[in-house]
Amino acid sequence: MGKRSNFARNKMDLYATPMDAVRPLLPHLGTALKYCEPCAGEGALIRHLASAGHKCVSAFDAGMGPFPRFDASFITEKELKG
């Protein structure tokens, strides 16, 4: 979301990922993908990918949401193993 857009901004730039944005990605992911979500927000992308058979092994967010607060620029192999 650009600062110069005409959309109302959400607190902490928290925008849920719509399934319509995920569908074009799914054919490129293979099957049973395991991944880390460093910008989890409230978990919309995690839920969409789970419905397609993929598994989030760890999730963080620098702002709001139910996931641990963590700056994604400091993720190490330890965090990636969930």
Side-chain angles (χ1 to χ4, degrees):
M1 183 69 55
K3 291 182 180 181
R4 296 185 183 105
S5 70
N6 60 358
F7 295 99
R9 295 202 50 197
N10 292 339
K11 185 177 181 181
M12 301 292 291
D13 286 329
L14 183 61
Y15 302 95
T17 303
M19 185 58 171
D20 286 345
V22 177
R23 276 190 200 98
L25 174 68
L26 293 175
H28 304 281
L29 297 181
T31 58
L33 176 74
K34 291 182 180 179
Y35 66 96
C36 170
E37 169 55 293
C39 302
E42 293 181 337
L45 179 59
I46 295 168
R47 288 188 299 277
H48 297 322
L49 291 175
S51 72
H54 303 296
K55 182 178 180 179
C56 180
V57 296
S58 59
F60 310 97
D61 197 274
M64 302 171 66
F67 299 96
R69 269 189 97 150
F70 192 76
D71 184 334
S73 63
F74 295 102
I75 290 177
T76 66
E77 190 172 331
K78 176 184 171 191
E79 285 82 31
L80 296 176
K81 293 186 180 199

